[in-house]
Amino acid sequence: RGQFLRRRGVETWPDGTVAERYTFLHALYQEVIYERIPVSQRVQWHRRIGEREEQAYGERAREVAAELAVHFERGREYRRAVQYHCVAGQQALQRSASQEAIAHLTTGLALLTELSVTPERDQHELLLQMSLGAALMPIKGYGAPEVEAAYRRAWELCHQLGNPHQLFPMLYGLLLFYSMRGDLKIALELDRQFQSLAQHHQDPIPLVNAHYASGLLSFLQGKFSSAQTFWERCLSLYDPHQAPTHMLLYGYDPGVIADMLFAFMDGLRGYPEQAVRKAQAALTRARTLSHFHTQALTHFWAAHLYQVRREGQVVQAYGEVVISLTQEQGSANGLAYGLIMQGWALVEQGQVEEGIIRIHEGLTGARAGGVKGGTPCFLALLAEAYGKGRQAKKGLQMLAEALAVANENGEYYYEAELYRLKGVLTLEARDWKRETSPLSLQASSLKPQISQVVAQEAEGYFLKAIEIARHQQAKMWELRATMSLARLWQQQGKTAEAHQMLSAIYHWFTEGFDTKDLQEAKALLEVLRDCGVDSGRDC
C-alpha cells in the first residue's frame, strides 16, 4: 500500500542478479522494525546478506566495501568486517573524505580485538594503521601524537612481518611527522633510511617520494640547490597515472607539490614571471585531481609565493581557498596555514589589527597540531605586521623567538628575511623621527636621529641577510636586504656606495620588473643617483 515503503527501481548485480529496490518512507519505521527482530536473527540475516552480496560482486566487491563492512560487522563475521572497513577507509582517503576514512579505520582497529593473533591479523592491522596515519595527518595536524602512534605501530608490525617493502609509507609518514614537528635531526635520519631502501628496491613510486622528501628537508634547511636537485629527480621519475597510488600511500601527489615548490623557489631565485607560470600550471593540475590535501598544500604554497611578491589581494584569495578546503574537511592544521596567509594579506592591505589577530589564530592552531615546521617564517610575518602597526619592540620579540626556533630546529629557509626584518625593526624601535615607517620602502622622507651604535647594529643585520641570501642564491631576498641597507646608507650620506651596491643586484634581474620590490628598487636607485649628482639635494 506504500504506507511504509516505496519502490526505488531495479538493480542489477555483477553476477546478473536482478532485484527490485525499496526504501523506508521514514527512518523511524526502519528503526522500529529493525529493533523488533530478535538479535540472533539479525546477526544471521546480516551475515547472509553480506555473503550473498560479496558473492554477487565477486572481484568487484571493493565497490561496495562500506556496505559489506556493516553487514559483516553486525553479522559478527569480524575477519571480513575488518577487511572491508580497511578497504572502505582507503577508498575514502582517495576521495579526500578523511573523516569518513578515520571512522572506518578506527572501527576496523577496534574489531581486531575479536580476532586471534596471527600473521594475517597483523597484516590487517598494518594496513589499517598505515592508512590511519595518512588520514589523521591533514585532520589532526602533522605533529599530532595520534599520527606518530599510528605510524609507529605500523613500523613495528612491518618489522614483525618481515616485509621491508611496506616500510616505505611508514618511513615517509614518520619523516614528515618529525620534520613538521621541528625535529629535523630525526627526520634527516629517517630520510637517509628511506633513500637507501628506495635506491635498493628501485621501485619508482617510493623513489619519487624519497626524492621529494629529501628535497623538502633540504629546502627547510635553506639548502636550495640541493632541494632543486632532488625535486628534479622526483619529477623525472614521476608518472601522473600513478597519482592515486601516491595519494593513498603518501597522503598527496608529490609531482604536483614538487612543481609548486619549484615555482616558489624560482620566485626566490629571481625569476618571478617564470614562477607564476609554473605555479598556475601546478594549481590547474591540482584541481583536476580533486584531492583535498593536494589542493590545500598547492594553494598554500601559491599564497606563500605571492606573499613573497607582496601581492596582498592574491594572497588573500588563495588563503581563503585553503581555509574553505580545510574547514570543509575539518582540517585544523590546514586552517592554521590559511589563517596565517590571510592575516598577512590583511596587514598588507592596511587592516593591521585584524591581520595580526588572524596570524595569531593561525600560529595557535599550528601549535595545537604539534607543528613547528614553518614557525620561523610565520613568526617573521607576525613581526612584520607588528612593525607596520608601530609596535616594533613586539616585532623584535617575535624575531628573537623565530631565530631561536630556527637554530633549534635547523630550519633556515626564511633566515635572510629574519635578519633583514631585525635590522628594519631595530631602526624602527630607536630614535627615528619619521613621517613614514622604516618598513615602508618609500623611505626617502626619513630624518635620521640615530646613534652610530644603532646604525652599526642594523647594518650588521642587513649585511648578514645579504650574505645568507647570496649563499642560498635567493636573489629576491638579496634585493630586498640590499634595499634596506641602501636606505640606511642614504640616511648616513653614503649615497654613492648605496647606489653602487643596489645597482649591481637590480641589474642582475631579467624579468619581473612589474613586481613591487623591483619597482621600488628602481625608484630608490633614481633617488640615489640624483643625490649623487646634486650633493646639495635633501636626500
Side-chain angles (χ1 to χ4, degrees):
R1 297 177 183 176
Q3 292 178 327
F4 299 99
L5 298 171
R6 68 169 177 266
R7 288 184 175 88
R8 288 195 60 186
V10 174
E11 181 181 30
T12 303
W13 287 355
D15 69 345
T17 299
V18 178
E20 197 162 12
R21 291 179 61 82
Y22 296 84
T23 185
F24 284 92
L25 296 177
H26 196 286
L28 181 62
Y29 299 154
Q30 182 182 12
E31 291 171 12
V32 170
I33 297 171
Y34 186 80
E35 291 300 323
R36 292 181 65 182
I37 302 171
V39 174
S40 60
Q41 193 169 20
R42 282 197 311 230
V43 170
Q44 182 183 7
W45 284 1
H46 273 297
R47 185 179 298 178
R48 288 177 61 189
I49 292 168
E51 289 171 348
R52 179 67 184 88
E53 196 167 3
E54 183 184 47
Q55 178 187 6
Y57 274 81
E59 294 181 355
R60 294 171 55 189
R62 296 175 63 88
E63 296 176 13
V64 288
E67 191 174 334
L68 290 173
V70 172
H71 284 307
F72 286 125
E73 180 183 346
R74 295 183 180 180
R76 301 189 182 182
E77 182 61 53
Y78 295 120
R79 181 187 62 81
R80 283 191 279 188
V82 167
Q83 174 189 340
Y84 285 113
H85 272 301
C86 184
V87 172
Q90 291 174 337
Q91 290 174 338
L93 264 179
Q94 289 178 314
R95 298 195 314 272
S96 298
S98 297
Q99 297 285 10
E100 180 185 339
I102 291 169
H104 279 295
L105 298 167
T106 52
T107 301
L109 286 167
L111 294 175
L112 283 174
T113 59
E114 304 293 338
L115 304 181
S116 56
V117 179
T118 63
E120 181 186 16
R121 179 253 178 228
D122 287 347
Q123 180 62 34
H124 283 311
E125 184 182 359
L126 169 60
L127 294 174
L128 287 163
Q129 295 283 13
M130 179 179 69
S131 302
L132 182 62
L136 286 170
M137 193 169 282
I139 301 300
K140 293 290 185 179
Y142 290 106
E146 298 94 327
V147 172
E148 181 183 25
Y151 280 123
R152 279 289 176 195
R153 178 56 181 159
W155 173 280
E156 293 169 6
L157 290 164
C158 260
H159 285 287
Q160 288 178 22
L161 293 167
N163 189 346
H165 197 77
Q166 288 184 308
L167 277 171
F168 289 119
M170 274 65 73
L171 272 170
Y172 186 83
L174 286 170
L175 184 161
L176 197 59
F177 168 81
Y178 284 110
S179 65
M180 292 296 100
R181 202 172 72 171
D183 295 330
L184 283 188
K185 289 183 180 178
I186 299 176
L188 286 167
E189 173 56 27
L190 291 168
D191 179 57
R192 186 192 62 79
Q193 295 179 36
F194 193 10
Q195 275 283 356
S196 177
L197 196 62
Q199 294 292 347
H200 176 73
H201 286 276
Q202 286 296 302
D203 186 326
I205 289 180
L207 272 173
V208 164
N209 287 279
H211 293 320
Y212 169 79
S214 296
L216 178 63
L217 291 175
S218 296
F219 173 78
L220 290 174
Q221 294 175 91
K223 300 176 180 178
F224 295 163
S225 294
S226 295
Q228 180 176 345
T229 300
F230 281 119
W231 287 333
E232 284 172 349
R233 294 174 186 169
C234 164
L235 293 171
S236 69
L237 295 170
Y238 172 75
D239 180 356
H241 295 99
Q242 295 175 328
T245 303
H246 287 294
M247 293 184 292
L248 173 62
L249 296 177
Y250 298 95
Y252 47 76
D253 187 316
V256 173
I257 306 301
D259 272 337
M260 179 55 77
L261 286 167
F262 248 127
F264 183 80
M265 289 236 306
D266 280 344
L268 296 186
R269 290 170 55 237
Y271 303 101
E273 294 175 10
Q274 182 174 304
V276 166
R277 288 195 298 270
K278 286 185 178 179
Q280 293 304 318
L283 285 167
T284 300
R285 286 181 54 210
R287 293 179 188 120
T288 63
L289 292 174
S290 300
H291 185 256
F292 145 69
H293 200 191
T294 301
Q295 285 201 45
L297 280 172
T298 308
H299 281 86
F300 164 73
W301 282 106
H304 202 356
L305 168 64
Y306 282 95
Q307 177 264 317
V308 171
R309 291 170 58 93
R310 296 170 52 215
E311 297 183 27
Q313 290 184 341
V314 183
V315 174
Q316 184 170 355
Y318 286 133
E320 287 173 356
V321 171
V322 175
I323 291 171
S324 176
L325 285 168
T326 52
Q327 283 180 331
E328 181 181 333
Q329 293 290 329
S331 171
N333 206 85
L335 177 61
Y337 288 174
L339 286 171
I340 290 168
M341 287 294 114
Q342 186 185 59
W344 180 89
L346 289 171
V347 171
E348 184 71 8
Q349 296 173 86
Q351 301 176 55
V352 177
E353 291 184 8
E354 186 179 351
I356 288 173
I357 291 170
R358 294 289 175 86
I359 296 173
H360 269 295
E361 288 177 0
L363 278 166
T364 300
R367 286 165 176 162
V371 173
K372 286 187 180 178
T375 297
C377 167
F378 301 151
L379 287 170
L381 300 184
L382 182 57
E384 183 181 359
Y386 275 127
K388 290 190 175 182
R390 298 288 196 268
Q391 300 180 71
K393 289 183 178 179
K394 279 190 176 181
L396 286 170
Q397 291 172 4
M398 296 301 103
L399 291 174
E401 183 181 347
L403 285 165
V405 173
N407 290 326
E408 178 186 352
N409 298 346
E411 183 181 321
Y412 297 116
Y413 92 90
Y414 213 74
E415 188 182 22
E417 276 291 89
L418 293 179
Y419 280 103
R420 184 190 71 83
L421 286 168
K422 192 169 184 181
V424 169
L425 294 179
T426 295
L427 297 175
E428 169 78 3
R430 298 303 194 272
D431 298 327
W432 286 92
K433 292 182 180 178
R434 58 194 178 276
E435 297 170 20
T436 60
S437 163
L439 273 169
S440 168
L441 295 180
Q442 300 296 331
S444 59
S445 60
L446 297 177
K447 305 299 181 184
Q449 299 288 331
I450 189 169
S451 70
Q452 186 66 23
V453 173
V454 173
Q456 287 179 348
E457 182 183 355
E459 181 178 306
Y461 295 138
F462 294 145
L463 290 171
K464 178 74 170 176
I466 292 169
E467 177 189 357
I468 293 167
R470 285 176 177 171
H471 178 71
Q472 294 177 338
Q473 298 179 6
K475 292 293 184 180
M476 191 59 73
W477 282 340
E478 182 184 346
L479 173 69
R480 200 174 290 179
T482 303
M483 278 196 287
S484 295
L485 180 60
R487 287 193 295 271
L488 175 60
W489 283 355
Q490 176 192 4
Q491 304 309 313
Q492 295 176 316
K494 298 191 290 186
T495 56
E497 296 94 325
H499 185 277
Q500 181 180 1
M501 192 171 193
L502 182 56
S503 178
I505 180 63
Y506 176 80
H507 287 102
W508 177 91
F509 285 84
T510 58
E511 63 178 64
F513 294 104
D514 60 337
T515 60
K516 286 186 178 181
D517 284 327
L518 282 162
Q519 286 178 343
E520 291 168 354
K522 180 182 179 182
L524 182 54
L525 278 171
E526 290 173 355
V527 170
L528 292 170
R529 182 197 61 205
D530 293 344
C531 288
V533 172
D534 182 4
S535 59
R537 179 178 174 182
D538 184 4
C539 293

